[in-house]
Amino acid sequence: MQIFVIKLLKDLRTNRTIYFMLLPVLAYYLIFQYGPMYGLQIAFKDFIPAKGFIGSPWVGFKHFEEFFGSVYFGRILKNTLLLSLYSLVFFFPAGIIFALLLNEIKGHVFRRAVQTISYMPHFISMVVIVGMMFDFLARDGMINHLLELIGLEPISFMRTPGWFRTTYISSDIWQNIGWSSIVYLAAISSINPSLYEAARMDGASRWRQIWHVTLPGIMPTVTIMFILFIGKFMTVGFEKIILMYNPVIYETADVIQTFVYRKGILEANYSYSAAVGLFNAAISFTLLIVANMTAKRLGDTKLW
């Protein structure tokens, strides 16, 4: 133990600048991530703000039972799972495919222009993004004008439950495809160029080079990003949904996070919303563990 302490103190002195830079990150997680975990106990209490965490009475699993028996349970769980699944199927591969396509562009000026244009939507405020969606997808918006030009009936995209998931996922891809491709472009740039030269000497086409050189080269990065994506599988971006949805499309738009928002913020039912949030976090944590174990068994790449 004494040897360990001596080595630790020596390392702290040697790398004190790096540890000093780490302090803001540690402070962020301690204050905003781990500190609030103390408040999770209200999921098992009837929380009364005047009595505080300690004074509020314990009720056990009452709020969990109420949530599982609620008429909304099936709907919000289904919507959350479907939106997360659609994001996994359509959004996650989009960044990889876009990075592969960008890597095949030989003109540096054109490639940088495409990259810059694709990054720009990521920095636009979510409020502005949703406002643009309402303008473009309105009954008299540009999209419906185009539909009328080709002889189709206009569609009320933002007030039709069946169109919510399509508009949500497609707008998410448009907004973040460029940003999500950055890590894959960095992984591609680290691949040894001699591998491509060897493949060309063997007569491999560009498609074969992508399949046998580029994809295997970025697969460790893809695996790590996949595990991280699974870790937030149940965490659908509720801010965007809050801006998009209305009671007309609750049928497909209402997810766990928006349900927690309505119960906890609008109705001030803090204990009930904390129980729902804890249930969601438990599922996400379980999925993260399973994804990491699966990756560990299938290959050498894992998160821990």
Side-chain angles (χ1 to χ4, degrees), residues 186-200:
I188 292 173
S189 66
S190 66
I191 298 175
N192 193 340
S194 62
L195 296 175
Y196 291 103
E197 294 176 6
R200 284 193 294 268

Side-chain angles (χ1 to χ4, degrees), residues 6-107:
I6 293 174
K7 288 184 177 179
L8 178 61
L9 292 175
K10 182 180 178 180
D11 187 62
L12 287 172
R13 284 196 300 270
T14 304
N15 303 298
R16 57 182 178 274
T17 305
I18 297 176
Y19 285 110
F20 182 76
M21 293 172 62
L22 185 64
L23 287 178
V25 180
L26 289 175
Y28 168 79
Y29 278 98
L30 289 174
I31 296 173
F32 296 105
Q33 302 295 329
Y34 293 102
M37 287 184 180
Y38 175 75
L40 284 177
Q41 60 181 294
I42 69 174
F44 306 94
K45 292 184 172 186
D46 269 335
F47 178 65
I48 303 173
K51 295 184 178 180
F53 292 138
I54 299 177
S56 299
W58 288 92
V59 294
F61 293 96
K62 169 189 171 183
H63 301 297
F64 292 93
E65 294 172 355
E66 184 180 347
F67 173 58
F68 296 147
S70 169
V71 294
Y72 301 110
F73 175 72
R75 184 182 74 181
I76 63 175
L77 184 61
K78 173 187 174 183
N79 291 339
T80 304
L81 288 173
L82 284 177
L83 273 181
S84 300
L85 183 62
Y86 291 162
S87 294
L88 179 63
V89 173
F90 297 105
F91 174 75
F92 181 76
I96 303 172
I97 296 171
F98 188 67
L100 294 174
L101 294 175
L102 280 177
N103 186 59
E104 293 302 309
I105 299 177
K106 299 305 180 184

Side-chain angles (χ1 to χ4, degrees), residues 136-191:
F136 291 143
L137 300 175
R139 295 281 297 187
D140 57 348
M142 184 182 70
I143 301 299
N144 276 315
H145 280 312
L146 293 175
L147 291 177
E148 290 178 344
L149 287 176
I150 60 176
L152 298 177
E153 291 292 326
I155 302 172
S156 182
F157 291 98
M158 304 301 288
R159 298 186 63 85
T160 304
W163 278 99
F164 173 78
R165 299 186 185 112
T166 302
T167 55
Y168 179 89
I169 298 298
S170 58
S171 62
D172 215 27
I173 293 174
W174 171 75
Q175 185 182 8
N176 297 300
I177 187 172
W179 187 257
S180 63
S181 68
I182 293 177
V183 65
Y184 303 113
L185 288 170
I188 292 173
S189 66
S190 66
I191 298 175

Side-chain angles (χ1 to χ4, degrees), residues 244-274:
M244 288 178 63
Y245 83 162
N246 55 72
V248 177
I249 58 172
Y250 276 179
E251 177 186 343
T252 55
D254 201 19
V255 296
I256 292 178
Q257 287 77 17
T258 56
F259 185 72
V260 169
Y261 168 77
R262 290 206 312 276
K263 287 291 182 180
I265 304 299
L266 301 183
E267 299 181 16
N269 195 342
Y270 305 115
S271 294
Y272 185 82
S273 60

